[in-house]
Amino acid sequence: MPAWLALLVVGLVLVVLGFAGLGAILLWGGIAIVLAGLVMTVVSLRRGQKDHDTHDHQRDGSPDADLGDRETWQRRAARLGWVSVGLGALSLVLLGLAIWDLAAQRSDLSADEPQRAIDAMTAWLPVNVDVHLGLPRPGVVLGLGLALAAFVVGMSALQCAAAMRVLSQGRGLDAPVSADIAKLSRRALGSAGVRSLDLEQRPGWPLTAIPAGAETVGLVLRCTVLIPAHDEEAIIAVALTSLSHQTRAPDRVVVVADNCTDGTVRIARERGVEVIETVGNTQHKAGALNQVLAVLLPRVGVEDVVMVMDADSSIAPDFLEVAVGALEDDPDLVAVGGLFSGEDGMGILGQLQRNEFHRYQRVVRRREGNLFVLTGTASMFRAYALRAVAEARGSLVPGTPGDVYDVHAMTEDNELTLALKSLGAGMTSPQQCRVTTEVMPTWTALRRQRLRWQRGALENVGAYGFTHTTAQYWAQQLALGYGVIALNAYLLLLVISLLAADSLRWSLFWVLIGVVFVVERVVTAWAGGWRGRLLALPLVIEVGYSLFLQAAFVTSLVQIALHREAGWNEVRREVVAAAALPALAAAALVARWTPLPSSVLQSPFVEALGLFVGINTIVFATLSVFQLLPPIRRTVHRMQHRRAARRTVAATA
């Protein structure tokens, strides 16, 4: 464990003990240790950035070259983001402890002693008044000070993020931080903190990566489709057929044959498309695409767009027409992603995956096309945006300068999405841009796929750090972790209850909560047809599937923590074992066998577990209700459009 992390943990423990009433020495000692840990955090991060950034190269002609070898823009934004989050979290902890301590002292405040109550209240306010100041007051002052420090650091992080948005037409870049804000920063952080974080450095904004003429509305675009393929003889014809049936034909189709040893090249040439074979590529799909894009991108103009499509996928007939049309109509739009669904077949396992994909489509539709990832199955990009990513690698985004795709990322499509979003690219997923891709035929194959997806997602957000772009992705990972704890806590409580209870007692409230979950599962899988709805109806099957996916999440965390390889060949059927626990407990109840004494249900542990599960259940039930209601954002936008239409009609009348 790093020394700075150990100091933070020890300091927070001492602060908690001090607020719990064990003495002011523990409180102030904990505060001092926490501050020391924060200082060591900043120092260690800066030392690490210097070690890494000595090998980074700035973009030619970019006015951010004054950063030199100290740090890149991306790392600076991530560092400021983490410091802001750390300070904010610590301030919330201190203020929460202060509120808790005040609530614990409410017995000392009585209605017949108003002056005493006023004195106690004012003791918590960070103002200079002639009252007796109790112990909690310094904690409140420190908490508010840390909150202020988090605010000014966060403002600098947002300013840095705005500077990185070189693919955005309107970055909102104003003048550097004003003198008043700089003065506030020095008061909140101190001179040493301001110097350590480089908050007073006036950044030179990076140049825009949008070429002249790219903002023209209605510019006729030229589409090149790249299909990376490695031994795809059995299925590549399906992808090529879907391209030949497009209502708007591509201008160029290139099959990128990567170390193929079967008939992939022959089939592609028989179909009349261009074939480029990679040379000495050992970096899988990302390396193959980088080889081709390194030759293609220097020759493209503002009218060129590139679609990357998997060889095992097929796209809807109007995919290109809709995607290219969207880019032609909106110059601020940089990329268009497809909405993927699973191919037919593969029994229950295939339907479980199709239900999952349909739910993702539904989420994107409710978000009005605001996507999470530009799927590698089929996505379209402006060529100059891909060129900007290659030029920004090692400076504005992580990676090797000159590479479009990060060859070290296990999920190259998710990483490219983060790169483009960090650079300010606008992107969407229209409902018409549908793509059908393969589903995993076995649990073994599915586990390998999801381990790669999950570990890749974790490593991607780790590489980018905490920034304005990655905030929602970090929230997703935290939500996944919370879901793992919540679901397994529920199953644990269920097993204990079934093994200890003599009989079942039904509660109308919790039955209705269960009905909400059933309705939400069926409605969100409605697009999967009657098979998908029937599979979602019992809940038990999809709960087992969720446990399987959660096992991949936990395994990825363990592998990353232990610096282990992915271990694709290790196959475990976690879903079978997990789903068997409630079944065995239910069988024990039917047989009236209660191996656990009923007194277990009154133990403090089970009572606490029941409270935790109850709160979690209500939280997830509330989220399920929101999934059933019309999306708030889309409803608001529709109301705004109706008002605008009425005003237009009234003005022309």
Side-chain angles (χ1 to χ4, degrees):
M1 178 183 294
W4 57 267
L5 181 58
L7 287 175
L8 289 178
V9 172
V10 172
L12 287 175
V13 170
L14 292 179
V15 168
V16 172
L17 294 176
F19 269 106
L22 297 184
I25 295 179
L26 288 179
L27 174 66
W28 287 108
I31 292 174
I33 293 176
V34 166
L35 293 177
L38 290 176
V39 172
M40 288 193 63
T41 301
V42 175
V43 172
S44 61
L45 287 175
R46 285 180 57 81
R47 183 181 297 118
Q49 303 307 331
K50 290 181 179 180
D51 293 339
H52 288 289
D53 294 337
T54 53
H55 303 290
D56 289 326
H57 301 283
Q58 302 297 326
R59 295 170 58 192
D60 293 336
S62 173
D64 66 346
D66 60 327
L67 288 177
D69 290 335
R70 286 182 294 167
E71 63 180 351
T72 65
W73 275 104
Q74 180 268 326
R75 286 171 178 155
R76 183 185 184 196
R79 179 168 60 92
L80 292 175
W82 281 124
V83 173
S84 178
V85 169
L87 292 172
L90 187 57
S91 68
L92 291 177
V93 169
L94 291 175
L95 293 175
L97 290 173
I99 294 173
W100 171 78
D101 190 54
L102 177 62
Q105 295 181 6
R106 62 179 178 268
S107 59
D108 297 333
L109 306 178
S110 58
D112 57 349
E113 299 182 27
Q115 185 57 46
R116 184 179 177 186
I118 294 175
D119 292 342
M121 296 273 301
T122 55
W124 289 81
L125 300 177
V127 295
N128 294 322
V129 291
D130 188 17
V131 295
H132 175 70
L133 300 181
L135 179 61
R137 182 176 181 269
V140 175
V141 175
L142 181 59
L144 294 176
L146 289 173
L148 179 61
F151 171 76
V152 296
V153 175
M155 291 294 294
S156 298
L158 291 176
Q159 185 188 42
C160 186
M164 295 166 57
R165 297 172 63 84
V166 295
L167 286 175
S168 176
Q169 298 280 3
R171 287 184 284 170
L173 290 179
D174 300 321
V177 177
S178 65
D180 293 336
I181 297 296
K183 186 183 299 183
L184 180 63
S185 301
R186 287 193 297 272
R187 290 181 177 177
L189 298 170
S191 299
V194 170
R195 287 195 303 270
S196 177
L197 296 173
D198 291 332
L199 297 187
E200 288 188 332
Q201 177 186 350
R202 294 181 177 268
W205 309 120
L207 295 174
T208 180
I210 303 175
E215 67 280 358
T216 304
V217 178
L219 180 67
V220 179
L221 300 180
R222 183 170 57 235
C223 178
T224 298
V225 179
L226 301 181
I227 307 178
H230 172 68
D231 290 344
E232 302 287 357
E233 177 185 29
I235 199 170
I236 192 171
V238 177
L240 295 176
T241 299
S242 69
L243 284 173
S244 64
H245 291 166
Q246 291 296 299
T247 56
R248 176 170 179 167
D251 297 278
R252 183 184 180 189
V253 178
V254 179
V255 172
V256 183
D258 181 36
N259 300 319
C260 290
T261 58
D262 62 356
T264 301
V265 174
R266 174 182 55 80
I267 294 175
R269 286 175 176 161
E270 289 176 353
R271 291 295 186 116
V273 300
E274 184 179 350
V275 177
I276 297 178
E277 299 187 59
T278 58
V279 178
N281 176 47
T282 59
Q283 297 169 329
H284 308 290
K285 176 182 175 181
L289 287 171
N290 283 339
Q291 282 193 15
V292 176
L293 291 172
V295 178
L296 177 65
L297 292 181
R299 307 173 183 175
V300 299
V302 295
E303 70 279 3
D304 284 291
V305 295
V306 176
M307 188 175 88
V308 178
M309 174 182 173
D310 280 348
D312 57 5
S313 302
S314 60
I315 58 177
D318 56 348
F319 189 107
L320 291 183
E321 181 181 1
V322 173
V324 176
L327 292 171
E328 288 178 342
D329 294 339
D330 187 358
D332 291 333
L333 195 62
V334 170
V336 176
L339 288 175
F340 51 89
S341 58
E343 62 185 359
D344 294 334
M346 307 305 170
I348 292 179
L349 180 59
Q351 190 60 54
L352 286 169
Q353 296 172 73
R354 286 189 289 274
N355 280 4
E356 181 185 6
F357 296 160
H358 286 308
R359 289 190 176 104
Y360 174 76
Q361 293 180 11
R362 188 174 184 271
V363 169
V364 174
R365 182 169 65 252
R366 290 169 64 86
R367 290 165 55 91
E368 298 182 311
N370 187 7
L371 54 85
F372 295 103
V373 59
L374 290 164
T375 172
T377 54
S379 292
M380 185 175 294
F381 314 88
R382 294 190 188 271
Y384 70 77
L386 296 181
R387 185 168 56 203
V389 171
E391 295 173 352
R393 292 285 185 195
S395 175
L396 304 182
V397 294
T400 304
D403 284 350
V404 175
Y405 287 90
D406 187 353
V407 297
H408 301 293
M410 299 183 68
T411 48
E412 70 287 332
D413 52 354
N414 184 68
E415 195 281 334
L416 183 60
T417 304
L418 290 177
L420 288 168
K421 283 191 173 184
S422 297
L423 298 181
M427 53 189 67
T428 188
S429 282
Q431 290 299 305
Q432 302 92 327
C433 292
R434 297 189 177 273
V435 53
T436 303
T437 188
E438 66 174 347
V439 296
M440 296 297 101
T442 64
W443 291 102
T444 300
L446 179 62
R447 182 178 185 274
R448 292 177 178 177
Q449 181 196 60
R450 296 315 170 89
L451 269 177
R452 182 173 64 85
W453 286 6
Q454 187 56 65
R455 180 163 178 175
L458 288 168
E459 290 179 343
N460 288 341
V461 295
Y464 277 78
F466 189 89
T467 65
H468 179 265
T469 298
T470 62
Q472 67 170 335
Y473 294 91
W474 280 106
Q476 281 182 326
Q477 300 306 318
L478 291 175
L480 285 174
Y482 173 54
V484 171
I485 297 173
L487 180 56
N488 286 274
Y490 166 76
L491 293 177
L492 177 61
L493 179 64
L494 177 64
V495 171
I496 293 175
S497 300
L498 292 178
L499 293 179
D502 297 327
S503 61
L504 289 177
R505 289 183 298 177
W506 298 97
S507 169
L508 179 61
F509 174 78
W510 292 113
V511 170
L512 293 177
I513 292 294
V515 171
V516 170
F517 286 127
V518 172
V519 173
E520 185 270 336
R521 289 284 89 184
V522 174
V523 170
T524 55
W526 199 262
W530 66 269
R531 289 186 178 88
R533 300 164 201 166
L534 287 178
L535 191 63
L537 184 61
L539 280 184
V540 177
I541 300 176
E542 290 202 324
V543 166
Y545 184 67
S546 298
L547 288 170
F548 183 88
L549 300 182
Q550 289 181 354
F553 174 77
V554 174
T555 302
S556 299
L557 287 176
V558 172
Q559 289 178 348
I560 292 174
L562 299 179
H563 303 285
R564 291 176 55 187
E565 297 295 330
W568 305 125
N569 296 325
E570 181 184 359
V571 179
R572 294 176 60 188
R573 299 288 291 273
E574 295 90 344
V575 65
V576 177
L581 290 176
L584 290 175
L589 180 65
V590 172
R592 295 184 178 277
W593 177 55
T594 55
L596 295 179
S598 58
S599 59
V600 171
L601 299 177
Q602 280 75 45
S603 65
F605 170 76
V606 174
E607 290 181 355
L609 181 63
L611 178 62
F612 178 70
V613 170
I615 294 174
N616 292 335
T617 304
I618 293 175
V619 169
F620 283 103
T622 303
L623 295 177
S624 297
V625 170
F626 277 108
Q627 285 295 320
L628 297 174
L629 296 175
I632 297 176
R633 173 164 40 179
R634 191 168 66 186
T635 302
V636 172
H637 288 174
R638 285 179 177 176
M639 294 174 60
Q640 292 174 344
H641 292 159
R642 290 171 184 169
R643 293 196 196 100
R646 285 196 295 266
R647 286 195 295 266
T648 302
V649 172
T652 56

